[in-house]
Amino acid sequence: MRNNGDPTNMQQLLEQIRESAAGAGRVSVNDILNGVGERSFGPVVLVAGLITLAPLIGDIPGVPTILGLVVLLTLGQLLFHRHTIWMPSWISQRSVPQDKLLKGLDWLQKPARFLDRWTGPRLVFLADGPGLYVMAIICMLVALAMPAMEVVPFSANGGGAALTAFGLAIVARDGLLAIVATSLTLVTGWFVVTGLAG
């Protein structure tokens, strides 16, 4: 699934997103997809998680749900062994203001440097082959829960953190991080269920 132009860590990915936003008043989903590569399933999940997690962007109503749809469509195509990512125009043309995107990217630089120091190929069998498909299914469950997360305060950030961890696990081929991401998913799921029941 990895291609020569694919990022292998968060800092590379953030730089690719920044380049895709250059000179635009608003940045669309399609711009970001073109920036990270139309065959980059892991980076797309990581981007969706980062945007959901980032202040100013992830707090915009509807953004977590749209990004959940992006994850569902992306990983659904991975499960069906498509080699490129297709998005319907009503999703690919959705956009966010460039200034908010760039501010979110700036905020993410410091955590990206920290995470890049602590991630890398480990327990690779959990991040490749069957492990990759298990991660894809869990991410799709998180994505399906995004509309509910918009109702329960702060839970979308937990969903974004889980997607970020899964995306980075795919990008860095880090099986240990995949375990952490699964734990984050379980905690967020419990938070959403109790929030909706309360």
Side-chain angles (χ1 to χ4, degrees):
M1 293 295 172
R2 189 180 296 282
N3 301 285
N4 290 336
D6 286 353
T8 57
N9 61 43
M10 272 186 68
Q11 291 180 86
Q12 289 178 14
L13 181 63
L14 293 179
E15 185 55 34
Q16 288 184 1
I17 299 171
R18 188 178 295 277
E19 289 173 4
S20 74
R26 295 183 67 86
V27 184
S28 69
V29 170
N30 192 54
D31 293 330
I32 295 172
L33 282 176
N34 289 336
V36 301
E38 62 177 7
R39 299 178 63 181
S40 304
F41 292 95
V44 170
V45 175
L46 180 50
V47 168
L50 288 172
I51 294 175
T52 306
L53 190 57
L56 302 175
I57 310 169
D59 296 331
I60 299 172
V63 166
T65 296
I66 290 294
L67 292 169
L69 286 171
V70 169
V71 170
L72 277 174
L73 283 169
T74 299
L75 295 180
Q77 292 171 70
L78 171 65
L79 292 178
F80 283 100
H81 304 285
R82 277 185 61 92
H83 297 295
T84 58
I85 301 168
W86 171 85
M87 290 286 159
S89 60
W90 65 273
I91 291 181
S92 65
Q93 297 306 315
R94 294 297 292 263
S95 62
V96 295
Q98 183 203 43
D99 60 335
K100 287 192 173 184
L101 178 63
L102 293 178
K103 285 178 183 176
L105 293 175
D106 290 341
W107 179 84
L108 289 165
Q109 284 294 335
K110 188 172 181 179
R113 286 194 295 270
F114 173 79
L115 288 170
D116 286 345
R117 285 198 298 269
W118 293 96
T119 57
R122 295 176 292 191
L123 301 176
V124 174
F125 69 94
L126 292 175
D128 268 343
L132 176 62
Y133 294 107
V134 170
M135 282 195 289
I137 291 168
I138 297 172
C139 287
M140 291 173 76
L141 293 174
V142 173
L144 283 169
M146 278 296 180
M149 290 181 191
E150 291 206 47
V151 177
V152 180
F154 307 112
S155 60
N157 299 110
L163 290 177
T164 298
F166 276 120
L168 188 54
I170 295 169
V171 167
R173 301 176 71 233
D174 192 333
L176 182 60
L177 186 55
I179 295 172
V180 173
T182 302
S183 301
L184 273 172
T185 302
L186 293 172
V187 170
T188 302
W190 175 84
F191 191 70
V192 171
V193 169
T194 55
L196 290 174

